[in-house]
Amino acid sequence: LMALPLQATHLMGGEITVQHIGGNDYVIAMLAYRDTIGVPMAPTVTFEISDTSGVIMTRTVAYDSTISGNLLPQYPYGVEIYLALDTIQLTTPGMYEVGWSSCCRNHAIQNLTNPGGESMYFKTEFEVFPTAMNSTPFFLVPAAIFLPINVPWQYNPLPFDVDGDSLYWSTDAPLRSSTTYCAGYTTPPGDTTNPFSLDPITGTISWTANTMGNFVATVLVEEFRNGVRIGSTRRDLQFIVTNPTATPLFTNSSSWPTDANGHYSFPLTAGVPFNLSVMADHGDANADLDMALYGELVQISSNPPSFSFFKTGNGAEIQ
């Protein structure tokens, strides 16, 4: 008889971020997502902290017991979320990296050669300055994603930097270790008129998926201050392409103003109330729709916007 440690199979994605809370103190935060399969995650995670000379410390901490193991809301099937936090002290200026690894990825992933045998590796790198504050970007939108086949679709993970540093987005292959990519990675397949792509300025992923199944990619966000690169954050994303009988769609966005690049843009006047009405509907009049608001305004404004939605009574429509 053999006992095998199936403690983290079906990992779906996640990331590590670092927040500078003052002095020499930095808070490491790791979020991980996985399919629910009834097998518990390992009770602890081990972070490796490196500088240009190599690994300088390891830290083992337990998952946060309040959040970890809970189901991510607004998803039609079980996606568990896990959070681990730790505070470290860094006294020497320079570039640092925080990494974490665990096995294994979801066996159903189609754009890797051997996904069930691949570890998932998260890492973020950041500059420690002698006096200035510096935190990594963090993401405002969850990483577990599902989308319909053969429908034009967009998603933005909304990386945001509290220090006001410039961010540049790109896509990359997932990692199995700090320096090694997972074997056989290919870009998630899509329609030739709207292939899988990412806008480097807005961070928006656009895609018309033409194949059902599970696919992965990594969003890489590089951070610049005064034109100098001071770090990068990686987020692993798993995309589940489904074939629903109908999909929810926004129905009134055609009237919204756009800027020169075609992005929705609403010029506001300070001190003047602003209201945006967003409507969505579904081909199935009995569908139960939900809506959520994400963004930096919600996170940092001293006077954040209020948000609510209601059923209009017109089929499945919400506003």
Side-chain angles (χ1 to χ4, degrees), residues 6-53:
L6 302 175
Q7 292 178 314
T9 54
H10 286 216
L11 288 168
M12 299 175 66
E15 73 273 354
I16 293 173
T17 58
V18 178
Q19 182 180 5
H20 189 186
I21 59 174
N24 299 321
D25 294 334
Y26 294 80
V27 175
I28 301 170
M30 188 194 76
L31 281 174
Y33 302 86
R34 70 163 192 163
D35 286 340
T36 54
I37 55 172
V39 178
M41 288 277 278
T44 61
V45 300
T46 298
F47 297 118
E48 286 190 344
I49 297 90
S50 307
D51 63 11
T52 54
S53 67

Side-chain angles (χ1 to χ4, degrees), residues 11-13 100-106 109-123 172-187 215-218 234-238:
L11 288 168
M12 299 175 66
W100 170 84
S101 179
S102 184
C103 186
C104 300
R105 294 176 181 269
N106 193 338
I109 294 170
Q110 295 175 231
N111 60 331
L112 297 177
T113 302
N114 181 31
E118 295 279 15
S119 291
M120 178 173 285
Y121 190 87
F122 300 156
K123 74 173 181 178
D172 199 9
L175 292 173
R176 66 164 70 159
S177 71
S178 178
T179 58
T180 307
Y181 290 113
C182 294
Y185 172 79
T186 57
T187 301
F215 304 92
V216 293
T218 295
R234 302 174 62 90
R235 175 187 251 192
D236 259 32
L237 294 165
Q238 178 174 291

Side-chain angles (χ1 to χ4, degrees), residues 166-224:
S166 298
L167 303 181
Y168 180 83
W169 291 259
S170 61
T171 56
D172 199 9
L175 292 173
R176 66 164 70 159
S177 71
S178 178
T179 58
T180 307
Y181 290 113
C182 294
Y185 172 79
T186 57
T187 301
D191 189 282
T192 56
T193 62
N194 186 29
F196 185 91
S197 63
L198 184 145
D199 187 315
I201 305 302
T202 67
T204 298
I205 294 174
S206 300
W207 187 24
T208 300
N210 61 3
T211 305
M212 289 178 57
N214 292 258
F215 304 92
V216 293
T218 295
V219 170
L220 174 64
V221 183
E222 296 176 279
E223 182 182 12
F224 293 81

Side-chain angles (χ1 to χ4, degrees), residues 85-108:
L85 298 166
D86 192 21
T87 300
I88 61 174
Q89 288 75 43
L90 298 172
T91 58
T92 304
M95 185 69 75
Y96 291 84
E97 178 183 299
V98 180
W100 170 84
S101 179
S102 184
C103 186
C104 300
R105 294 176 181 269
N106 193 338
H107 292 262

